[in-house]
Amino acid sequence: MLTILLRIHAADPVPAPVLRRALDHLRHALTGADHLVALVCGDPGDDTLPELARAGLDPVRMDEADLSWAAALKLVPSLVRDRTEAGTREGAQNGGPYLLALDAADMIDPGALDRLRRRLAGDGPDQPDLVVVNRGWWLGAPAVALPAPDADRLAALAPRPDRAALGALMPDPARLVIHRDLLARLDAADETDPVALWRLALERAERPLPWSDVVWLSRFRRRSAAPVFAAIPAGDDAAPAAREQALTQAGDALAFTGPDEARAILRAAEDLLARLTPQLIPAAGIPGTGPAADLLRTLQDEGRAMALTGLLLDLATAEQRRTEALAAALSELRADLDLALPGPDYLRRLYDRIRAR
């Protein structure tokens, strides 16, 4: 039913305990109709290959240490064909019609994947050729999850969504489940630009389906939102709708940024505002909702000091949520240790028994 690509790349190493847990989640999520291909890019270190072997996987090895999503996806049909012809354990079946790509630290939810699998079963005219799934982010422990910044917008989309609303979601090709027919039409995707792959997939999909169920959790990684602001189109030839969409996505990027990036983001916002000539700003003001549009409006109406203050408050609030999630994960770990390790009373009784002998 599903072809699952598990990408392990040396440029983003995963500790052995994390990989072991991720593989355990994946093992419980697979059915006999699924097809799993593990792809190791670069030198993964001493622990990765033994963990894969322990899980019964014979990975495909690549020299490139950080293979892009677009390049990895294009390899899948040939990898599946080669494994099938070779008759290996992973290639004993034909690949499923839908491709789902995971990173080594992704913790898949077996129940959520099964619900998605049931929706994709069949071959009727309403079958999607692209699914935009919701995924969360784990921080410290998979049991403590952070929601995706666009989770509410995704949940509000209709089963046959407006393309503009779908395109305004966070551009993340890792959340796409792609039918093999659509995958064959993505040859023009830039292999180095994940946003280009995202846009091309949405553009060429004939029956996209939004899926608000959280299918897996990915490892949270901090990254600056300043480049996202810098990429917002501001020329006369840019469509206002595209600019508003990019502003929404820049607001999503703030969820992955810390307060230490505030000045860089503010400089990028100032540069964007300078590039937005008065002719490009409607009489009603800068359009759009979300934190990025709010930042530009504050910068324009109230000045740099107020914009920086508001931005710092937003980033500090997001940082506090992450800190609380991490504290909850540590508390959970402590509780598990208390259950697993013998307490002082037990150790005292054991000591007394040994002494009595």
Side-chain angles (χ1 to χ4, degrees):
M1 180 62 202
L2 293 172
T3 295
I4 298 176
L5 172 66
L6 179 64
R7 190 181 63 155
I8 302 107
H9 43 119
D12 186 19
V14 176
V18 174
L19 178 59
R20 189 178 309 127
R21 176 176 280 192
L23 291 173
D24 188 56
H25 280 241
L26 185 56
R27 179 174 60 85
H28 286 94
L30 293 176
T31 70
D34 296 328
H35 183 104
L36 176 63
V37 175
L39 184 64
V40 175
C41 306
D43 183 2
D46 296 334
D47 298 328
T48 299
L49 294 179
E51 288 295 339
L52 294 173
R54 190 175 293 113
L57 298 177
D58 178 20
V60 177
R61 302 290 302 273
M62 303 286 295
D63 292 334
E64 193 171 349
D66 188 16
L67 198 67
S68 71
W69 275 111
L73 292 178
K74 290 176 185 178
L75 284 174
V76 171
S78 61
L79 292 177
V80 170
R81 183 174 58 253
D82 293 346
R83 283 295 169 106
T84 300
E85 291 173 353
T88 62
R89 181 176 179 180
E90 291 79 17
Q93 315 162 35
N94 294 323
Y98 288 96
L99 171 65
L100 185 157
L102 298 174
D103 265 337
D106 289 345
M107 306 291 175
I108 202 156
D109 182 334
L113 184 65
D114 188 57
R115 290 189 290 273
L116 177 61
R117 187 186 285 111
R118 290 199 302 269
R119 172 60 182 86
L120 298 179
D123 55 1
D126 292 332
Q127 285 303 104
D129 56 356
L130 181 72
V131 185
V132 182
V133 304
N134 189 14
R135 66 165 173 164
W137 307 86
W138 62 265
L139 180 69
V144 182
L146 303 174
D150 61 354
D152 291 340
R153 302 202 311 275
L154 177 62
L157 293 178
R160 294 189 176 183
D162 173 79
R163 291 300 181 110
L166 190 63
L169 295 174
M170 187 172 60
D172 178 13
R175 73 198 299 188
L176 299 177
V177 178
I178 307 174
H179 193 277
R180 60 187 168 204
D181 293 341
L182 175 59
L183 183 62
R185 303 197 298 270
L186 299 184
D187 288 342
D190 185 339
E191 292 191 0
T192 63
D193 185 0
V195 177
L197 174 63
W198 164 268
R199 290 174 178 165
L200 188 66
L202 294 187
E203 174 190 323
R204 298 192 176 176
E206 297 174 356
R207 298 174 304 280
L209 174 70
W211 192 257
S212 60
D213 204 1
V214 177
V215 182
W216 68 87
L217 300 177
S218 296
R219 180 172 49 173
F220 181 87
R221 286 300 182 86
R222 289 268 296 268
R223 54 183 182 266
S224 176
V228 185
F229 277 84
I232 294 175
D236 295 333
D237 56 341
R243 189 178 302 114
E244 184 174 343
Q245 183 182 96
L247 270 174
T248 301
Q249 293 168 343
D252 292 338
L254 291 175
F256 300 90
T257 300
D260 56 315
E261 292 286 341
R263 293 187 182 277
I265 294 168
L266 187 63
R267 285 194 296 269
E270 287 176 318
D271 179 66
L272 172 62
L273 196 58
R275 291 185 287 121
L276 286 172
T277 62
Q279 292 79 7
L280 297 177
I281 300 177
I286 294 171
T289 59
D294 290 344
L295 174 62
L296 287 185
R297 281 191 286 266
T298 304
L299 188 59
Q300 183 183 42
D301 299 339
E302 303 180 49
R304 191 174 196 275
M306 288 300 296
L308 181 59
T309 300
L311 177 61
L312 282 170
L313 285 173
D314 289 342
L315 296 180
T317 300
E319 188 81 348
Q320 180 181 358
R321 285 196 294 267
R322 292 192 288 269
T323 300
E324 291 172 351
L326 185 58
L330 291 175
S331 177
E332 180 182 285
L333 177 61
R334 176 65 196 187
D336 290 343
L337 287 174
D338 287 342
L339 289 174
L341 298 177
D345 292 341
Y346 171 82
L347 292 175
R348 181 67 189 181
R349 289 195 299 272
L350 182 62
Y351 173 77
D352 291 341
R353 286 201 299 270
I354 294 174
R355 290 263 305 180
R357 293 178 182 177

